[in-house]
Amino acid sequence: MKVDKLKLFKQEYSEDVEILKRTNPEHISIWNGNRYGLKKSGLDISGIISDERIIEMSKCQDDIYYFIENYIFIQTRNKDEFGNRYRLFELRKYQREQIELYLNHRFVLLMYPRRSGKTSGTVAYFLWRMMFESNFIILCLANKNTVAMKLIAEIRRFIKLLPLWMVEGIEKANEHEIVFENGSRISSSATTEDAGRSEGAHIVYCDELGFIDNNTWEPFFGAVFPVVTDGDNSQFLGTSTPNGMNHFWKLWEEGSEVDAEGNIIRQGTSEFIVKTIKWNDVPGRDEEFKRKTIATIGEDAWNQDFDCQFLGSAGTLLDAVTLKKMVKRTPLRVFKVLDDYDLKIYQEPDKTRKYIVTHDPASGHGGEHDDNTAIIVWDVKDLYAIKQVAVLYDKNLDELDAPFVLHKICKMYNNALEISERNKAEGIPMKLMRELDYKNVFLDEKGFVGIHQTESSRNASISIMKRIIKEGKIDIVDAETIFEFSTFIKRAGKYQADTGKHDDLVMSTSLLCFLLSDEKNFDKYFTGTSLYQYIGREDIYNGIFTEDLSIDEDDFGGFDDEDDDLPDGDDDDFI
């Protein structure tokens, strides 16, 4: 016969209340701030302690699952057979797996479908740590203040239905903070740039991590994560539903993905362990649930909110299907250019290949428009399978160093053709040509260096870029580049970066596509018959160089025998 465990708990609870009142006559109330269920600190609880209860306390301390499933009551939507809306927490399989990851790893990201109980399992873990460890500090952050407050409300509900002989006394309790008598505390707030900088928390937890504004996330994470990493046992935990290919996506892609048993199925580059909870892991969700939900919210919303797919921002240049085909790869190595700038190399220089280097310089005006220098190396030997082979992305590369950086990269990659956008910094390719005597610089039909982007040419470049990427003719592998494409949207009447995001790598890519933007010459360009139609014309160079600059297409991209074709030093630079 089933037992009404909530009824038994309440009977025992009421008896303990009366004992505490009798044994603590000096206290007008045994409740913190007269809030029923929040036991005041400083009470004499010896009258409700027994050997049996001490044994139970020890079991709970040693076994989190025993504690949760025997002592935590959770609220349910439907009443049970006894008419109760509260029942003991029976952990679902994926909630056990979630807690197991928390117990065994310091840095954990979990991706959950909507309405799947992600908060309850996390809060139960927090309560167990606070109950059985003194001076344990937890900081909970969320995308909105109301979401952060719900975390505290959830733990308060758990506390109010714990036995009085077990639960810690409450020193302080409000909408944003709970402090236990043993010195442990949990606090919550909306995520800000300064949140958690001076907290010294043992756990920093971000709920709905994917929905935190990117401008807030970057300075916050940059300040807090190193502090967490420095602690011996501190943790950084995050849960979220996907929200486009943003910072959550980047963290996810960099982490090591595990299966239900905790085995790594995809090795990442960061310390994070990541795991997806599938929509049909939740009891009661089957194909009929899927069909009805899609009929109500649409397939795109289903794919993101329930199937946990990272989709691009709304109104992106590239559709979700195209974005999903972009597969991030780990660089083979990172080469230091001029000892200061990181060139991520995805394909080593090959004497048999032809390369183009595109350069979108930083403008550095500050604020939203304080962008980065984006240099991309493209393998263009096969114009039906152009490959992104190296990327330099840096906000500190200025006009003084840029020509030398470009010179080094272009020489590394077979004297690559260099193409700059000249709207921002015409002096960079000019210096590359004149002072560094680098001849393979793109000149337009009027003899000007680089590409001057007008509204018309910009639109044409973007249009052809969209076309050839959708057709699979460009292989983009760099995570930053993929991220920028996922937030490159139509805003204020033109395609540009979403608010707070950047599009420097996208626009560097568009420079490559500029050569293919002339529709009447499109087929000729793409078959490679005359891709570099302006290069090698002595009249275009206006006498800057007196030597013969003609470049035979068969010879383009070959290595020189001169030492300066390689980075400074010997072949060890390529290890």
Side-chain angles (χ1 to χ4, degrees):
M1 185 177 73
K2 283 195 173 183
V3 177
D4 186 346
K5 294 183 179 180
L6 182 62
K7 182 179 179 180
L8 292 177
F9 166 79
K10 287 181 176 180
Q11 289 173 349
E12 182 183 273
Y13 195 89
S14 296
E15 293 170 1
D16 287 344
V17 167
E18 295 305 315
I19 293 173
L20 287 178
K21 286 180 179 179
R22 288 197 307 270
T23 56
N24 292 275
E26 69 276 17
H27 293 276
I28 298 174
S29 171
I30 65 169
W31 310 116
N32 179 282
N34 288 320
R35 288 167 290 192
Y36 188 87
L38 298 181
K39 188 180 76 177
K40 181 187 291 186
S41 62
L43 295 178
D44 176 8
I45 63 170
S46 60
I48 59 173
I49 296 296
S50 65
D51 290 342
E52 181 184 356
R53 287 177 171 179
I54 291 174
I55 292 172
E56 281 298 297
M57 185 82 79
S58 180
K59 287 182 180 178
C60 290
Q61 184 173 0
D62 293 341
D63 188 344
I64 185 174
Y65 304 113
Y66 182 85
F67 167 68
I68 292 173
E69 296 190 326
N70 287 277
Y71 287 99
I72 289 184
F73 285 90
I74 62 168
Q75 190 174 12
T76 60
R77 293 180 180 177
N78 302 315
K79 293 181 179 180
D80 62 16
E81 63 261 52
F82 302 107
N84 302 321
R85 289 193 182 275
Y86 285 86
R87 60 171 174 80
L88 283 173
F89 198 159
E90 297 176 12
L91 288 166
R92 295 167 177 169
K93 181 176 181 292
Y94 62 83
Q95 289 172 323
R96 277 182 166 265
E97 294 165 2
Q98 166 192 19
I99 292 172
E100 197 68 23
L101 289 177
Y102 290 165
L103 292 172
N104 293 307
H105 300 280
R106 293 181 60 196
F107 309 106
V108 179
L109 297 178
L110 298 173
M111 185 155 55
Y112 270 86
R114 290 288 178 205
R115 300 192 299 274
S116 52
K118 65 179 173 62
T119 303
S120 298
T122 298
V123 170
Y125 170 72
F126 293 164
L127 181 57
W128 179 72
R129 296 295 299 266
M130 293 173 63
M131 288 276 295
F132 300 107
E133 296 184 53
S134 299
N135 302 306
F136 196 83
I137 301 171
I138 300 173
L139 174 63
C140 299
L141 302 166
N143 59 318
K144 294 185 291 187
N145 193 44
T146 52
V147 176
M149 290 167 62
K150 286 180 180 179
L151 296 169
I152 299 297
E154 180 87 351
I155 204 166
R156 280 170 65 124
R157 280 194 293 269
F158 287 175
I159 290 170
K160 286 183 175 182
L161 289 173
L162 280 176
L164 290 169
W165 52 266
M166 175 184 289
V167 71
E168 280 287 325
I170 304 296
E171 290 278 355
K172 180 181 179 181
N174 56 45
E175 292 177 328
H176 289 286
E177 187 178 30
I178 295 175
V179 181
F180 281 176
E181 192 171 4
N182 67 0
S184 294
R185 65 183 172 92
I186 184 169
S187 59
S188 72
S189 72
T191 307
T192 64
E193 294 183 15
D194 298 324
R197 286 175 185 253
S198 59
E199 289 289 334
H202 297 94
I203 296 177
V204 175
Y205 169 64
C206 288
D207 191 20
E208 294 296 0
L209 189 153
F211 293 82
I212 297 169
D213 180 76
N214 193 61
N215 288 335
T216 300
W217 171 260
E218 290 183 358
F220 157 74
F221 188 68
V224 170
F225 189 68
V227 176
V228 176
T229 303
D230 285 342
D232 291 336
N233 299 303
S234 52
Q235 290 183 286
F236 191 102
L237 311 175
T239 56
S240 189
T241 305
N243 184 31
M245 299 168 78
N246 59 4
H247 52 271
F248 180 45
W249 169 78
K250 287 172 65 179
L251 285 175
W252 189 269
E253 288 295 306
E254 291 166 357
S256 296
E257 190 168 5
V258 298
D259 60 17
E261 285 70 43
N263 301 313
I264 293 178
I265 56 176
R266 176 179 60 80
Q267 186 66 53
T269 58
S270 77
E271 297 180 83
F272 276 100
I273 294 295
V274 303
K275 183 179 186 297
T276 302
I277 286 74
K278 297 179 172 58
W279 65 270
N280 51 2
D281 288 339
V282 181
R285 293 186 177 178
D286 53 17
E287 289 299 321
E288 181 63 14
F289 167 83
K290 177 180 178 179
R291 185 189 65 78
K292 288 181 178 180
T293 305
I294 291 176
T296 302
I297 66 174
E299 191 163 359
D300 284 345
W302 166 268
N303 287 338
Q304 176 166 281
D305 294 345
F306 288 90
D307 204 32
C308 293
Q309 297 181 25
F310 287 106
L311 307 179
S313 301
T316 50
L317 174 73
L318 304 176
D319 58 40
V321 173
T322 304
L323 288 170
K324 285 181 66 177
K325 290 179 180 178
M326 291 182 172
V327 179
K328 175 189 77 73
R329 295 177 197 161
T330 302
L332 298 175
R333 64 189 178 99
V334 176
F335 176 70
K336 284 286 186 183
V337 183
L338 304 186
D339 296 326
D340 288 322
Y341 308 105
D342 290 343
L343 179 69
K344 293 178 287 185
I345 295 178
Y346 297 95
Q347 177 182 296
E348 297 287 359
D350 183 340
K351 294 180 181 181
T352 67
R353 312 300 293 180
K354 300 176 184 178
Y355 299 104
I356 289 178
V357 173
T358 56
H359 167 227
D360 185 72
S363 59
H365 296 306
E368 180 182 344
H369 302 289
D370 190 7
D371 52 12
N372 305 296
T373 292
I375 298 173
I376 304 178
V377 183
W378 305 95
D379 180 339
V380 296
K381 185 170 185 178
D382 182 352
L383 293 179
Y384 288 91
I386 297 171
K387 298 181 185 298
Q388 185 184 38
V389 299
V391 175
L392 188 150
Y393 190 57
D394 197 295
K395 65 181 178 181
N396 297 314
L397 180 56
D398 57 27
E399 290 190 35
L400 293 176
D401 282 349
F404 297 96
V405 169
L406 284 167
H407 184 263
K408 179 69 73 175
I409 295 172
C410 288
K411 296 292 279 184
M412 279 178 66
Y413 281 90
N414 298 8
N415 296 315
L417 172 67
E418 191 277 340
I419 307 176
S420 291
E421 181 192 340
R422 72 166 180 263
N423 300 51
K424 300 176 184 177
E426 184 178 8
I428 294 174
M430 287 296 295
K431 187 172 183 179
L432 179 63
M433 270 202 318
R434 290 179 172 174
E435 296 185 24
L436 300 180
D437 196 27
Y438 189 75
K439 304 174 180 62
N440 226 6
V441 176
F442 179 86
L443 303 175
D444 66 16
E445 65 271 25
K446 295 181 180 179
F448 295 111
V449 294
I451 295 172
H452 178 74
Q453 289 281 39
T454 64
E455 182 178 353
S456 175
S457 66
R458 184 181 188 276
N459 290 340
S461 299
I462 290 172
S463 177
I464 195 67
M465 178 171 66
K466 176 180 179 179
R467 174 180 169 183
I468 61 179
I469 291 176
K470 284 175 67 72
E471 291 174 351
K473 293 170 181 173
I474 295 185
D475 185 19
I476 295 174
V477 299
D478 175 64
E480 291 281 359
T481 311
I482 296 171
F483 174 60
E484 285 196 5
F485 271 105
S486 76
T487 57
F488 190 67
I489 66 170
K490 196 162 191 177
R491 181 166 66 92
K494 70 174 185 177
Y495 280 104
Q496 58 186 307
D498 201 353
T499 305
K501 308 297 192 301
H502 294 280
D503 59 13
D504 313 291
L505 290 161
V506 173
M507 297 315 299
S508 186
T509 305
S510 76
L511 295 176
L512 171 70
C513 299
F514 175 86
L515 297 178
L516 310 174
S517 63
D518 184 352
E519 288 188 11
K520 67 179 181 180
N521 292 316
F522 176 81
D523 291 335
K524 178 175 63 176
Y525 288 150
F526 218 70
T527 54
T529 56
S530 184
L531 182 59
Y532 314 121
Q533 61 174 344
Y534 303 135
I535 301 303
R537 286 176 48 187
E538 217 169 272
D539 58 317
I540 294 291
Y541 280 77
N542 292 326
I544 293 176
F545 300 110
T546 57
E547 59 189 295
D548 180 14
L549 301 178
S550 59
I551 299 174
D552 187 89
E553 188 176 12
D554 290 335
D555 294 332
F556 177 74
F559 272 99
D560 244 14
D561 289 330
E562 296 177 348
D563 291 340
D564 62 355
D565 284 356
L566 298 175
D568 291 337
D570 54 26
D571 290 343
D572 288 341
D573 284 322
F574 285 91
I575 294 175

